[in-house]
Amino acid sequence: MNKKDNVLIIGVGLCGSLLALRLAQRGFKVEVYESRPDLRKVDISAGRSINLALSDRGLKALRLCGMEEKAREICIPMYGRLMHDKQGNTFSSNYSGREGEYINSISRGDLNALLLNEAEKHENVTIHFNKKCKKVDIENTTAYFKDTETNEDFSEKATVIFGADGAGSALRKSYISERKFLFSYSQNYLNHGYKELEIPADKNGNHQISKGHLHIWPRGDFMLIALPNMDGSFTVTLFLSYDEGEFNFNNLTSEEKITEFFQKEFPDALVLIPNILEEFTNNPTGPLGTVKCSPWSYQNNLLLGDAAHAIVPFYGQGMNASFEDVFVLDEILNHFERSREIESWETVFKAYQKTRKKDTDAIADLAIDNFFEMRDHVANPLFKEKRKIEMDLEKHFPNQYFSKYSLVTFNEHIGYQEAMNKGRAQDKALLNLIADDEVHTHLNMTKDELEIILEKVNKQTEEILQEDKIAGL
Ligand code: FAD
C-alpha cells in the first residue's frame, strides 16, 4: 500500500464524497465515478430525502476532514421532539437534559455539494459524473461502467476499489454474482414505505411551526415527521404501510381518500401543506430496508456506508454511521502507519471490519427499535415519565447519566454497540422501577431525590448488564 496506489471510489453521495476528501487529504490519487449528474448543476432530489438529521458522530468525521464549521453554517439545531396529537395539541420532549446537546437538520444536497467542492480542491481527486458502474471484476480490481450520456461502455483498473454506492451497491452485487468467496447477505424490508411532502415558508419566508424541533405526529401504526429547512420550509415525511390498515399507500389512490386520511389523522398538518394532493400523487414512495452483509471486503475491494450497512432512518443515523465509517477507516490507516507494520489494503480492510461491524449491526437494530418508539411509544404515559426522569437526571448529573438516546447520538467516543448494550439495560431498569412504583416523579424534583433514583437505576442497570453477560447477549 502506498501513496501512488490508484484509488477508485464508486458513488459520490455522502459517504463517497467524504471518503474521497479524506483519502485525498492523506495523499492518495482518487478517481470517483458517480452514476448521477452533478447535483451542483442539476436538481436530482426527485422528492427523496431532502433533509437529514446530522449529529455528533457525523460531525466528528466532518471535523476530521476540516468540514465541521462549513457544515454547521447550513445546519438548523433541533433541540427535541414536538409531538402533535389528533386534536392539534402539542407537547415537547428534549433530546437531552444537558446544555448544548441537539441534533441538526441539514440539506442532503447542500452538504453533498460542500463535500464535492472541498474534494475537488485537491488536484489528486477527479470526479466523473454520469458514469454508472455495472459490475466489478473483484479479483482484478477492475470496474465496468456505462456513460449514461453517451451510452458508451468502458472499464477502469485500480489498485483498490471502494463501493460507496449506496443500498443497491453494484460492488456488493458483484460479490454475490462472482461467487469467489462465501458472502453472507440479508436485506429486510419493513412493511412501511415513505413519502416526502412540504410545508412551505409563510409569506415572509418564516417557518410556520417551531424550527427548533423535529415534529412528530405519532399515530401507532404510522406517523408523520417534519424537519426544518433553511428557506423557512419543512420537509414532511409520511411513514405508512404499503398494504395494511385502513389507510395505506396502496389504497390512497384518490384525492378524496388522501384528503380523508389527512383530515382524520393529521388535521393540523394538512392546513400547512397546500399542495398535498399534487405532492402525494407525484412524489415517489420509497422502501425502507436494512442491509447486513459480511465480509465487507474481498482482497482490495471494500464496501462502505449504505452499501455495507443500509439501515432504516428512525434513529437519524444512516448518514452519521456512513461518515463515522470514514473516521474509523482513517484510524485504522493511522494505526498501521504508526506501528510501521507491513500493511496491505487487504489487511487494513480486515482490521476495519473487525473494529466496525459490531457497531453498524447495533445501529441497524437500534433503528428498528426507534421505529416503534417514534410512531407509538412517544405518546405513551410510561414512556413520557421515563423521558422526564432522564431529562432531570441528565440536567442534574450531566457527567453521570446518559440516556440511550444520548449514548447513541451524543457520545461519539463510544461505539454503537456499547451505547446499545448500556442504553437498553438502563431503559429496562428505569421502566421496571417506574412500573414497580419504586421511583416517583413530580414537577420539581430535588437533586437529593434524583440522586436516589440515579443510584437505583445504576444498580439495576449493572445487574441487567451482568445477567446479559452471563446469558451471552
Ligand atoms: P447514498 O447516499 O445512497 O449515495 C450513494 C451514491 O452512489 C449516490 O450518489 C448514487 O447515485 C451512487 N451510485 C449508486 N449506484 C451507483 C452505480 N452503480 N454506479 C455509480 N454510482 C452509483 N441518515 C441520517 O444520518 N440522518 C437522517 O436524518 C436520515 N434520514 C433519512 C431519511 C430517509 C427517508 C432515508 C431513506 C434515509 C435517511 N438517512 C438518514 C440515511 C442516509 O440517507 C444514508 O445512510 C446515507 O445517504 C448513506 O450515504 P451513502 O453515501 O452510503 O449512500
Side-chain angles (χ1 to χ4, degrees), residues 36-303:
R36 291 190 285 190
D38 187 344
L39 57 73
R40 295 165 296 180
K41 298 178 186 151
V42 185
D43 178 15
I44 54 168
S45 61
R48 276 180 188 275
S49 182
I50 292 153
N51 57 20
L52 304 146
L54 171 66
S55 51
D56 293 21
R57 292 175 194 274
L59 287 164
K60 170 182 71 175
L62 291 168
R63 194 175 312 133
L64 170 76
C65 304
M67 294 304 290
E68 181 184 7
E69 288 318 312
K70 282 192 181 148
R72 282 196 189 271
E73 283 168 19
I74 52 167
C75 279
I76 303 180
M78 298 182 289
Y79 298 94
R81 297 165 170 163
L82 192 75
M83 266 64 75
H84 299 245
D85 72 13
K86 280 195 197 179
Q87 286 69 44
N89 305 311
T90 58
F91 70 91
S92 66
S93 168
N94 282 357
Y95 283 122
S96 170
R98 270 172 293 274
E99 288 286 311
E101 284 190 345
Y102 51 83
I103 61 174
N104 303 280
S105 179
I106 191 163
S107 150
R108 176 192 289 273
D110 291 351
L111 178 57
N112 209 159
L114 264 186
L115 296 174
L116 291 171
N117 287 342
E118 199 63 26
E120 277 188 336
K121 283 185 190 162
H122 294 261
E123 55 184 31
N124 46 338
V125 175
T126 313
I127 306 175
H128 310 265
F129 291 96
N130 303 301
K131 311 284 182 280
K132 185 177 169 63
C133 178
K134 296 191 302 178
K135 62 173 185 177
V136 179
D137 173 347
I138 53 178
E139 293 213 298
N140 296 305
T141 45
T142 302
Y144 292 82
F145 296 93
K146 179 176 273 307
D147 185 318
T148 55
E149 287 179 312
T150 63
N151 260 342
E152 270 169 39
D153 291 330
F154 63 98
S155 63
E156 290 296 330
K157 180 158 175 55
T159 317
V160 57
I161 295 184
F162 290 93
D165 47 348
S169 171
L171 177 58
R172 200 183 62 230
K173 284 179 188 154
S174 298
Y175 282 2
I176 298 170
S177 62
E178 290 222 344
R179 293 168 170 263
K180 293 285 186 328
F181 63 109
L182 295 176
F183 182 60
S184 303
Y185 167 63
S186 71
Q187 178 161 22
N188 293 305
Y189 286 110
L190 290 183
N191 189 259
H192 285 59
Y194 74 97
K195 189 184 284 289
E196 295 192 320
L197 308 163
E198 191 199 34
I199 297 177
D202 70 11
K203 58 181 187 318
N204 300 317
N206 296 323
H207 293 92
Q208 299 199 57
I209 47 178
S210 155
K211 71 166 179 171
H213 289 100
L214 187 154
H215 295 258
I216 310 183
W217 289 258
R219 296 293 182 265
D221 285 340
F222 49 88
M223 69 172 165
L224 201 63
I225 67 166
L227 275 74
N229 295 311
M230 298 280 277
D231 64 0
S233 67
F234 277 82
T235 302
V236 178
T237 311
L238 171 66
F239 295 98
L240 179 71
S241 169
Y242 279 99
D243 55 11
E244 285 174 0
E246 184 187 354
F247 298 100
N248 55 58
F249 278 124
N250 288 354
N251 72 19
L252 287 176
T253 47
S254 69
E255 296 197 346
E256 295 73 37
K257 189 120 191 188
I258 296 165
T259 312
E260 183 197 343
F261 174 53
F262 275 81
Q263 256 163 5
K264 187 172 169 205
E265 300 293 342
F266 312 113
D268 59 337
L270 179 61
V271 294
L272 299 169
I273 312 176
N275 299 327
I276 180 101
L277 294 175
E278 195 189 320
E279 289 173 6
F280 199 95
T281 313
N282 295 336
N283 291 353
T285 306
L288 297 165
T290 303
V291 168
K292 287 186 182 172
C293 62
S294 183
W296 287 340
S297 65
Y298 176 74
Q299 296 178 357
N300 280 12
N301 307 275
L302 176 71
L303 299 166

Side-chain angles (χ1 to χ4, degrees), residues 11 14-15 34-36 52-53 108 133 165 306 316 318-320:
L14 294 167
C15 184
E34 164 61 45
S35 59
R36 291 190 285 190
L52 304 146
R108 176 192 289 273
C133 178
D165 47 348
D306 273 16
M319 162 187 64
N320 288 289

